[in-house]
Amino acid sequence: MNGHRNAATILSVLCMGLGQLYNRQWIKGLLLLVFNAAALSYFISNLGTAIWGIVTLGEKTQGLEKVGRLMVPVEGDHSIYLLIGGLITIFALAIYLTVYGMSIKDAYRTGGERDAGKTPANFKQTWAYITDKKFPILLLALPVSGVLLLTIMPIIFMILLAFTNYSSPDHIPPASLVDWVGFQTFKDLLTLKTWSRTFVGVFTWTIIWAVLATVTTYFGGILVALLIESKGIRFKKLWRTIFIIPYAIPQLISLLVMRNLFNGQFGPINQYLSYFGLGKLPWLTDPLWAKVTVIIVNMWVGIPVSMVLILGILTAIPKDLYEAADVDGASGFQKFKIITMPFILFSTAPILIMQFAGNINNFNVIFLLTNGDPVNGNYQYAGSTDLLVTWLYKLTLNNSKFNMSSAIGIIIFLLVASLSIWSYRRSRSYKEEDMVQ
């Protein structure tokens, strides 16, 4: 009773496309056979080299070889190229195995239809089904491929670099080879005195910065939104427009302008302070004042975003709740505490978590305003206002410490992912997601 199903499945397991040919789906079967032949040809030529490259990262260094009386340059193995090429081949193998599995499943299903007395779909019918019923999947195939090649594979490559000694000047190919070192990079980051002191200091400031930057912009946005929506405030559209201007201006421009405004020697802010006899403040040159400055500037940039979000939520709160509170004699603060704030928190908790995660990786404000300065003599390649992400940038582009920066990138990911998931699962938005529809 299951003769066609079993035969088609076995043939499809033996060779991609044979099951479809057995089910008399000639064009589909031939296309799968051609794909299978091309894939096998590629893997026979490259799979062994790819696995060897990933396992060994090369065996021969670049150098000179004496040929007669001449010294001839000899090309060595490039460890990073071998790693990238190996990853591409492994990804191609994963795609091939996925298609192979789908072909087996298709042969099994079509064989079952034949056992039930149905006629298998021809290529025209199959194509019509794909472009109609499965059109969303067909359309998503290209972006999914782009995500795999341009996002997932670079992330895996970065993770693998953290377990190598790829750093300057001793292990930069092709002059020298890169080796697998296991968790030695993480151990150095946490135990070596200069690295551990820098990591602890930068990590602590990153958490402090993320908390302060999120809290100040969030509650600042709530305050501004409540003031604009207060009774008796005229020209509300004008106020909204004025407060949104800092966000509308590109950060590259606004932050560089702010950097000049807070310049300790010639900045207009210090010039105005000196007119009132207050003296010049070291906004960007003193470690403490530099941290205060980036918090203030971040409020100027971030409050408009929270303000616009809160304004939309305030308009959605039922007015009869406030009317009932007025009847009960509730004060303005009581109405805010019992009605306004719970609605705001319920609606914005996921966005608040997202803002916190974004502030951990807030590269623009720190890099464009202070560049991580002022310099800290106790830190390794980092300044007093550097976050983990800006320290990672300096390690990668300025100092070629690729393995160390990869390890820091993994730590950032684990930090952001764990805090975000933990916070979201504890929020009312997650626990009571069906409360507001």
Side-chain angles (χ1 to χ4, degrees):
M1 186 175 181
N2 294 326
H4 290 305
R5 173 184 292 173
N6 294 334
T9 303
I10 293 172
L11 287 172
S12 191
V13 170
L14 293 175
C15 181
M16 186 190 305
L18 290 183
Q20 282 71 23
L21 292 177
Y22 174 82
N23 287 326
R24 300 175 183 176
Q25 295 178 308
W26 310 114
I27 297 178
K28 183 194 292 186
L30 289 173
L31 289 175
L32 290 174
L33 279 174
V34 171
F35 173 78
N36 186 60
L40 289 178
S41 175
Y42 172 78
F43 291 126
I44 290 172
S45 303
N46 296 279
L47 186 58
T49 303
I51 295 175
W52 170 83
I54 291 179
V55 172
T56 66
L57 296 179
E59 297 175 346
K60 185 173 66 174
T61 59
Q62 184 180 21
L64 296 175
E65 183 177 303
K66 189 174 183 179
V67 179
R69 297 182 179 180
L70 300 177
M71 298 299 291
V72 179
V74 178
E75 185 177 354
D77 296 325
H78 198 297
S79 301
I80 301 305
Y81 291 169
L82 289 174
L83 182 58
I84 295 174
L87 279 178
I88 292 174
T89 303
I90 296 299
F91 264 75
L93 178 63
I95 294 173
Y96 168 74
L97 294 176
T98 301
V99 175
Y100 209 136
M102 293 171 63
S103 71
I104 295 173
K105 183 179 179 181
D106 175 74
Y108 177 84
R109 179 183 54 80
T110 306
E113 292 177 354
R114 292 185 65 188
D115 289 330
K118 298 180 182 179
T119 302
N122 56 36
F123 184 75
K124 184 177 180 181
Q125 292 171 324
T126 301
W127 180 252
Y129 174 76
I130 293 174
T131 55
D132 182 19
K133 300 292 185 181
K134 300 294 183 179
F135 181 73
I137 297 176
L138 180 65
L139 205 61
L140 286 172
L142 183 61
V144 166
S145 302
V147 169
L148 285 174
L149 293 176
L150 302 177
T151 302
I152 303 300
M153 193 174 72
I155 289 175
I156 294 177
F157 173 70
M158 182 206 74
I159 293 172
L160 292 178
L161 283 186
F163 299 93
T164 69
N165 56 4
Y166 182 33
S167 61
S168 67
D170 301 326
H171 297 280
I172 296 295
S176 57
L177 296 175
V178 175
D179 304 309
W180 295 110
V181 296
F183 288 92
Q184 185 63 41
T185 303
F186 295 90
K187 182 179 177 181
D188 292 344
L189 182 63
L190 298 175
T191 59
L192 290 182
K193 186 175 181 180
T194 53
W195 286 107
S196 61
R197 183 193 298 124
T198 307
F199 175 75
V200 171
V202 175
F203 178 82
T204 303
W205 162 238
T206 299
I207 298 300
I208 294 172
W209 151 263
V211 172
L212 291 178
T214 304
V215 170
T216 52
T217 55
Y218 182 74
F219 287 100
I222 292 176
L223 177 62
V224 173
L226 290 174
L227 291 175
I228 292 176
E229 290 298 310
S230 298
K231 294 181 179 179
I233 297 294
R234 303 175 61 187
F235 310 113
K236 293 186 178 183
K237 293 183 179 179
L238 175 63
W239 293 116
R240 294 193 196 104
T241 303
I242 291 174
F243 281 110
I244 203 62
I245 287 176
Y247 182 72
I249 299 174
Q251 284 193 8
L252 177 64
I253 297 174
S254 59
L255 292 175
L256 290 178
V257 169
M258 279 291 182
R259 185 172 183 169
N260 289 324
L261 290 176
F262 283 100
N263 185 284
Q265 295 296 324
F266 311 107
I269 293 177
N270 271 347
Q271 295 295 331
Y272 284 123
L273 291 177
S274 63
Y275 292 154
F276 295 98
L278 298 177
K280 295 182 178 180
L281 296 177
W283 296 105
L284 301 176
T285 56
D286 178 78
L288 179 60
W289 277 106
K291 292 175 180 179
V292 172
T293 303
V294 294
I295 294 293
I296 294 173
V297 173
N298 186 71
M299 290 176 61
W300 177 72
V301 174
I303 283 178
V305 183
S306 298
M307 179 201 71
V308 173
L309 178 66
I310 303 304
L311 284 173
I313 296 172
L314 291 178
T315 58
I317 299 177
K319 302 302 180 185
D320 55 355
L321 294 177
Y322 292 106
E323 294 173 358
D326 289 332
V327 172
D328 292 337
S331 64
F333 177 76
Q334 289 174 325
K335 287 188 288 185
F336 171 78
K337 179 181 177 181
I338 298 173
I339 301 174
T340 308
M341 199 60 197
F343 264 89
I344 293 175
L345 283 175
F346 184 87
S347 301
T348 61
I351 297 174
L352 183 62
I353 296 167
M354 183 182 70
Q355 287 180 342
F356 177 77
N359 281 320
I360 290 179
N361 290 317
N362 197 333
F363 180 86
N364 286 349
V365 172
I366 300 298
F367 185 78
L368 295 176
L369 190 62
T370 67
N371 195 28
D373 295 335
V375 175
N376 191 323
N378 295 321
Y379 284 0
Q380 187 87 339
Y381 309 116
S384 297
T385 58
D386 267 318
L387 306 179
L388 287 174
V389 66
T390 57
W391 185 32
L392 183 154
Y393 174 86
K394 291 179 178 179
L395 288 173
T396 304
L397 295 186
N398 298 342
N399 302 285
S400 301
K401 298 292 183 182
F402 302 105
N403 58 334
M404 198 65 72
S405 59
S406 298
I408 295 171
I410 294 173
I411 292 172
I412 292 174
F413 169 76
L414 294 176
L415 172 67
V416 173
S418 57
L419 286 177
S420 299
I421 294 173
W422 178 80
S423 302
Y424 180 65
R425 290 180 65 88
R426 290 177 60 88
S427 67
R428 287 183 60 217
S429 302
Y430 174 80
K431 296 177 180 179
E432 304 173 16
E433 58 183 350
D434 295 328
M435 176 179 166
V436 176
Q437 299 291 343

